[in-house]
Amino acid sequence: FYTVAGSQKQVSIRVLESLCSSQTASPDEGTEIGEAILELPEGLSAGSPLEIEFALSEGGLLELRAVEKTMGREVMARFETADAISGRELNLAKQRVEDSMIL
């Protein structure tokens, strides 16, 4: 991931949940469960690198960590889904996260 404009002030990271079983999903197939805003330092050029990581906890909590790699600014957030999921569903969701591709 990277910034798209010079002197960009922030990055909005929308987190979507999809119950489809394929490795990839279109954003219009998902439901937004949250958003994180990464504030950027002044004067970054377009194309500055960003690192975005997701982790799914044992309890089904989705954790997000985003880092602007030039100066090291970061944001962390946690998201819960609207419905509780079973242990089997949690394992399937973890597998989808591990196998997924971001479009």
Side-chain angles (χ1 to χ4, degrees):
F1 298 97
Y2 52 89
T3 57
V4 295
S7 298
Q8 189 172 331
K9 295 179 188 245
Q10 64 184 19
V11 173
S12 171
I13 304 160
R14 293 179 48 223
V15 180
L16 305 173
E17 174 184 41
S18 173
L19 298 178
C20 79
S21 59
S22 66
Q23 288 186 5
T24 60
S26 172
D28 60 343
E29 294 176 39
T31 301
E32 186 167 339
I33 60 172
E35 178 181 32
I37 304 294
L38 176 59
E39 298 294 334
L40 300 174
E42 291 185 27
L44 278 182
S45 59
S48 295
L50 306 171
E51 180 178 285
I52 301 174
E53 300 173 347
F54 293 94
L56 190 59
S57 73
E58 289 295 322
L61 195 64
L62 182 63
E63 298 174 351
L64 161 80
R65 178 177 176 263
V67 180
E68 180 279 311
K69 300 298 284 182
T70 305
M71 300 289 287
R73 289 197 182 178
E74 71 178 79
V75 65
M76 296 173 64
R78 291 184 176 160
F79 306 97
E80 289 186 37
T81 59
D83 299 317
I85 60 175
S86 69
R88 180 177 183 277
E89 290 172 317
L90 176 60
N91 288 334
L92 289 171
K94 283 183 180 181
Q95 189 61 48
R96 283 195 306 269
V97 168
E98 291 172 6
D99 295 341
S100 67
M101 296 170 45
I102 300 185
L103 303 175

